[in-house]
Amino acid sequence: MTLHGEMVFPKLSRFDRNQEPCSLALPLPAGALSNPENFSIWDGDRALPCQTTVTSRWPDQSVRWLYVDFLVNLPGLKEKRLSWRLEPSKPPREGSAAVVVVDGAVRLESGVATLHLSSPGDILELRTGLVADGASERLLGDCHHPFWEDDSGTVWKAVLDQDGWQVVSPGPIHAIVQGRGKHQSEDGRRCFDFQLRLHAYAGKPWFQAEYRLLHAEEEAELLVRRIAWRWQAARPLSSAGQRAVARSNYRTQTRELSGNDGVLEQEIDADWLLFESNEQMPETHYGTFWGDWREPGQFGLCLTVFQAQQNYPKALRVGADFLEADLYPASAAPLVWRQGIARTQRLLLYPHAGDLPLADANIRSLQYQMPDRPVLPASCYQQADVLENVWMNTSYQPLEAYLIQLADRRLRAYGMLHWGDAPDMDYTTQGRGRGKFVWCNNEYDMPHAAMLMYARNGERRMLDYLLVAGEHQMDVDVCHYSPNPHRRGAQLIHSADHVSGGATPSHQWVEGLLDLYHVTANRDALETALGIGENLLLLLQQPSLQQPGGSSARETGWALRSLLALYRETGEQRWLDESKKIVQQFHVWQEEFGAWLSPYTNHTLIRVPFMIAVAASSLMRYYWLTSDAAVGELVVKAMDDLLAHTLGQDGRFFYKELPSLQQRGAGLYVLESLAYAWDLTRDAKYIRAGMPQLLATLAAAPNYGSGAKYAQENAVIWERGLSPKAFAMYSMPLLMFGRAAAEAGLLVDDSTSGNA
């Protein structure tokens, strides 16, 4: 049983980071840890201050995933290695972050700074206090408040609901509070839900704000002219006052203004993105975007917008007595915000002394954009057994290179409602969007594909791909409100405007959302996954899905995968009960027709290899949970049937069984199910049957794209390759089949020629 392990912080900043707040998502084997207090992190022989949160448990109630906040000294220009142990420690207490409630008033404290929070039912306002040299708190008399404007110019201010603030984490390393409410106009009308989550870190003067807006109104669309976060100073700057705005990708470009006249402005729009060169992977880092207001000898505030370029358009305005971050500026065309869409924007609020050098503010802003993250060895995930078995006993470099290219060289889209997703050009040119882009909506679970890559190779950007795609899926791709219960809570199918499509069991995924929850401890991800599950339970009551052969095998097949993931996560029997119904349906289906035949034309029932493979792969997950031998036999029979009826003479599978559809286009999902047939039988015929498809795939280089950028539909499209769907669709089959082929001795890496 694993009782200890290591993590490494790769070299990042050239500056030392003292007592830097960091986090770790640690997977653990069943039975290894029951009490999260029996956990510690060590820097050599020194225990570090940390706090733990259990995000998942095994059936025996031992910890499956442990999320840890801790403070660590990180050296400039060097990597840092730490160890973790399943044993308690008494680390020194260094600073304290806390949520404090006194006489009904709530404040968020870090030990050196304070946010005083508005009362339930009031307009949302945050007021700042600073503590210097252990002295008493000095209230700055300032005020933060968010608002939005509609197309008529009406201003809607955020108003906290009567439930007030909820403590998400009490500290002592990382304290979090959360409030919800609606925006309200001056005449008392209410429109547009919000959620505000605020973070404080022990011993640090800055706070993070996560401002999430949600269209839960009856109107199909809202026209948004402006979304802003305004900081109002207690008094205007004197003639000695200083203001600055900055943006960067390589070197930060800073503009400054002295005195108290005029307004200093900075904007990021489509033209800026189109004509700026940037070589970085933008999920990990593009640049920074901040504004600063300061009165020398007194105090100031630096405000950073997280991933502003990626979530363009954005603007900053710094006046004599205010600093505003336009999360959607009025200079852009009004934004069409469709019903059910949410979107989260992040800001770093950094109150500081008036003599803080701008260079220091810039360094902290850059650190916020690309924080230090520890990396665990692949063996940690493998031994914990929290992910699918994608671990190869020998490395096959052509496969690894192919997957990395698919992950990195993807079509991307910048834009506040688009970042984290991209259009699929095949769907678009087919006319499915009726002249508009058809967005992938993270089809085939792009976040989970990124998680598997990160666990295997530990490359930081793979984790960032998960974070960005997962948050987009959580916010935009899922319908958070609809009067139609069949849409509510559903992940919507690939479609124009992200949400014009409907809901179907075959296009809803939760594994990546659960990964996102485990690596961030953000319960929004868990709640979104559970909401998808509720929607699936409703959709599965449709008559066509209640009868064998009433739909394609992938409809209930994908639903089965999601339901089983929710059962593993929660242990709730209802998810398993519904899964059993689907499994029984596949039994009857195979007995009645001899195969999982799907309706096509009015007079045909046909085999669709990739859909059958999806079903078989989901059934295998049921087998992993239950060891039901009859289900294993179902999987093997399905693969034998495909080998007998859908395998062409060239060694590749048909797209569909009809004579008019026997072009080679079954995709790679058949490889995944062939790997499972190998696992169940150890018969190498299943691997030999898939090798022609594997080798043909690896021999054809992925589409690298033109690299062109262009603006359309409030997005800047960066054509660097295929859509995210390709990476999500290919990664699991390639990893599973590659692992099985290596076990069968049919995949040998020739390091000199790259041939198998």
Side-chain angles (χ1 to χ4, degrees):
M1 185 175 294
T2 301
L3 298 176
H4 59 85
E6 290 190 344
M7 69 188 87
V8 60
F9 284 89
K11 179 176 74 69
L12 184 62
S13 175
R14 65 189 180 96
F15 301 102
D16 292 344
R17 285 85 73 209
N18 295 318
Q19 291 299 282
E20 186 72 8
C22 295
S23 62
L24 168 71
L26 179 68
L28 290 165
L33 177 67
S34 297
N35 184 353
E37 293 184 2
N38 294 332
F39 175 86
S40 53
I41 295 178
W42 296 78
D43 184 356
D45 58 0
R46 178 176 177 268
L48 301 181
C50 64
Q51 71 181 56
T52 58
T53 303
V54 177
T55 59
S56 184
R57 290 186 180 273
W58 292 99
D60 67 359
Q61 294 306 299
S62 61
V63 177
R64 180 191 277 123
W65 281 95
L66 188 69
Y67 185 83
V68 189
D69 288 291
F70 60 100
L71 303 174
V72 59
N73 293 329
L74 298 173
L77 291 178
K78 293 180 182 178
E79 72 174 24
K80 177 83 171 190
R81 292 188 176 272
L82 303 176
S83 62
W84 56 267
R85 305 175 192 173
L86 299 186
E87 60 183 48
S89 68
K90 294 183 179 180
R93 191 174 184 85
E94 300 183 30
S96 181
V99 182
V100 179
V101 182
V102 178
D103 296 330
V106 181
R107 63 180 186 266
L108 186 61
E109 297 184 345
S110 70
V112 295
T114 306
L115 273 183
H116 295 260
L117 311 181
S118 53
S119 300
D122 288 349
I123 292 175
L124 187 64
E125 294 181 342
L126 315 175
R127 301 182 185 277
T128 314
L130 283 174
V131 178
D133 300 324
S136 60
E137 179 190 31
R138 177 190 176 193
L139 284 171
L140 304 186
D142 61 345
C143 177
H144 300 262
H145 65 90
F147 64 92
W148 73 280
E149 294 181 27
D150 64 21
D151 195 39
S152 70
T154 301
V155 174
W156 303 78
K157 296 181 179 180
V159 175
L160 188 66
D161 66 22
Q162 292 296 334
D163 291 335
W165 299 97
Q166 291 80 49
V167 178
V168 177
S169 171
I173 305 301
H174 182 188
I176 310 171
V177 295
Q178 175 179 287
R180 292 189 172 98
K182 271 189 178 291
H183 296 80
Q184 183 172 298
S185 64
E186 190 172 341
D187 59 7
R189 291 176 293 150
R190 293 163 66 83
C191 183
F192 229 148
D193 289 34
F194 77 86
Q195 173 181 285
L196 180 63
R197 189 174 288 134
L198 298 165
H199 303 250
Y201 306 91
K204 303 303 177 185
W206 55 79
F207 304 90
Q208 179 178 238
E210 298 174 354
Y211 180 38
R212 191 187 201 201
L213 289 93
L214 166 62
H215 179 353
E217 311 303 322
E218 296 308 312
E219 296 91 340
E221 298 176 349
L222 291 174
L223 282 180
V224 176
R225 179 183 177 187
R226 185 183 181 210
I227 304 170
W229 183 283
R230 182 181 177 92
W231 176 77
Q232 185 70 51
R235 63 186 65 85
L237 289 170
S238 70
S239 59
Q242 300 288 327
R243 286 164 285 170
V245 290
R247 62 184 172 189
S248 76
N249 65 358
Y250 175 54
R251 295 286 187 177
T252 303
Q253 301 169 350
T254 305
R255 294 168 45 228
E256 300 180 54
L257 181 63
S258 300
N260 51 19
D261 292 332
V263 175
L264 189 60
E265 299 181 279
Q266 184 79 282
E267 187 167 357
I268 297 171
D269 57 15
D271 285 344
W272 181 266
L273 290 169
L274 288 173
F275 300 112
E276 180 180 58
S277 174
N278 182 43
E279 65 180 1
Q280 300 176 79
M281 292 298 185
E283 290 88 350
T284 298
H285 188 248
Y286 185 113
T288 194
F289 191 64
W290 55 264
D292 188 85
W293 181 104
R294 65 186 57 217
E295 184 68 68
Q298 296 188 36
F299 70 91
L301 179 89
C302 184
L303 189 154
T304 300
V305 181
F306 182 69
Q307 295 194 344
Q309 289 90 340
Q310 300 93 314
N311 287 281
Y312 94 98
K314 293 287 182 282
L316 292 166
R317 301 172 67 246
V318 193
D321 63 347
F322 71 90
L323 195 168
E324 282 184 343
D326 280 356
L327 304 177
Y328 193 86
S331 57
L335 178 64
V336 179
W337 199 298
R338 292 173 174 82
Q339 187 184 65
I341 286 180
R343 198 57 172 137
T344 304
Q345 301 285 273
R346 290 184 172 83
L347 306 101
L348 188 71
L349 315 176
Y350 185 2
H352 57 73
D355 57 357
L356 178 78
L358 277 181
D360 289 359
N362 182 50
I363 290 167
R364 176 44 52 185
S365 178
L366 288 164
Q367 185 73 24
Y368 176 56
Q369 299 286 1
M370 186 167 53
D372 289 280
R373 300 192 192 280
V375 178
L376 295 167
S379 58
C380 186
Y381 299 95
Q382 183 178 8
Q383 292 168 10
D385 195 25
V386 293
L387 300 168
E388 294 92 339
N389 182 14
V390 292
W391 320 103
M392 296 176 64
N393 59 19
T394 182
S395 176
Y396 187 63
Q397 291 307 310
L399 186 150
E400 302 292 348
Y402 188 90
L403 285 171
I404 287 174
Q405 288 289 4
L406 278 179
D408 290 342
R409 302 288 297 213
R410 288 179 284 109
L411 195 71
R412 287 172 170 83
Y414 298 126
M416 194 176 83
L417 296 182
H418 306 308
W419 175 237
D421 195 17
D424 184 276
M425 293 311 183
D426 286 339
Y427 288 154
T428 300
T429 55
Q430 290 167 13
R432 299 191 188 200
R434 306 183 73 83
K436 303 181 79 172
F437 285 136
V438 176
W439 297 87
C440 283
N441 288 6
N442 281 288
E443 184 174 359
Y444 298 123
D445 208 341
M446 161 72 185
H448 188 54
M451 180 67 202
L452 293 176
M453 288 292 286
Y454 178 66
R456 294 179 78 253
N457 66 22
E459 295 186 21
R460 157 72 178 270
R461 67 192 184 286
M462 302 297 168
L463 174 60
D464 293 318
Y465 295 165
L466 159 65
L467 299 177
V468 170
E471 184 165 293
H472 175 95
Q473 179 186 353
M474 177 175 70
D475 278 355
V476 178
D477 298 337
V478 170
C479 181
H480 297 275
Y481 172 78
S482 173
N484 179 356
H486 288 91
R487 289 176 63 85
R488 196 179 309 135
Q491 179 174 347
L492 301 177
I493 193 171
H494 47 80
S495 54
D497 303 317
H498 298 282
V499 296
S500 61
T504 176
S506 64
H507 285 72
Q508 302 200 58
W509 299 275
V510 303
E511 288 169 305
L513 290 172
L514 297 175
D515 294 332
L516 180 65
Y517 172 54
H518 298 148
V519 301
T520 65
N522 183 348
R523 285 194 63 87
D524 289 342
L526 174 62
E527 291 168 4
T528 303
L530 293 171
I532 288 174
E534 298 290 351
N535 181 266
L536 286 172
L537 294 181
L538 180 63
L539 293 179
L540 288 169
Q541 302 309 307
Q542 298 174 83
S544 64
L545 299 177
Q546 290 287 305
Q547 56 182 340
S551 65
S552 69
R554 72 168 173 173
E555 284 295 324
T556 50
W558 273 122
L560 177 62
R561 187 175 299 201
S562 292
L563 294 172
L564 291 172
L566 292 174
Y567 174 69
R568 288 196 305 272
E569 183 68 24
T570 67
E572 292 184 22
Q573 187 65 31
R574 63 195 184 112
W575 305 119
L576 186 59
D577 289 344
E578 191 65 29
S579 298
K580 289 178 179 178
K581 294 178 185 178
I582 295 174
V583 171
Q584 181 58 31
Q585 187 182 91
F586 276 111
H587 277 295
V588 174
W589 195 346
Q590 195 174 80
E591 291 171 4
E592 185 171 342
F593 296 103
W596 297 329
L597 304 179
S598 300
Y600 193 71
T601 63
N602 288 354
H603 71 307
T604 61
L605 288 173
I606 64 172
R607 294 171 175 85
V608 184
F610 88 90
M611 294 186 182
I612 291 171
V614 166
S617 297
S618 296
L619 285 164
M620 191 66 181
R621 283 155 174 77
Y622 185 87
Y623 175 82
W624 292 339
L625 274 172
T626 65
S627 300
D628 186 335
V631 172
E633 291 175 9
L634 268 184
V635 173
V636 174
K637 286 180 180 178
M639 292 303 99
D640 287 339
D641 182 71
L642 288 186
L643 294 181
H645 295 98
T646 66
L647 186 61
Q649 290 184 351
D650 63 346
R652 293 183 297 163
F653 289 85
F654 303 151
Y655 172 49
K656 293 181 180 179
E657 189 185 17
L658 281 180
S660 58
L661 292 166
Q662 290 186 8
Q663 71 267 29
R664 307 306 191 257
L668 300 184
Y669 278 117
V670 176
L671 295 184
E672 182 180 352
S673 50
L674 288 172
Y676 298 145
W678 154 260
D679 290 340
L680 291 162
T681 67
R682 279 309 195 249
D683 189 335
K685 74 175 183 180
Y686 300 107
I687 305 303
R688 288 194 292 269
M691 287 300 293
Q693 181 66 66
L694 174 69
L695 297 179
T697 298
L698 300 184
N703 182 345
Y704 294 144
S706 65
K709 292 188 288 187
Y710 56 90
Q712 190 173 329
E713 297 184 22
N714 292 320
V716 168
I717 306 298
W718 187 20
E719 289 192 335
R720 295 200 71 211
L722 300 171
S723 77
K725 184 184 83 169
F727 171 54
M729 182 169 57
Y730 291 175
S731 58
M732 180 69 78
L734 287 174
L735 288 171
M736 282 297 188
F737 189 81
R739 184 263 308 160
E743 291 173 357
L746 296 176
L747 196 67
V748 180
D749 187 10
D750 184 334
S751 60
T752 58
S753 66
N755 296 322

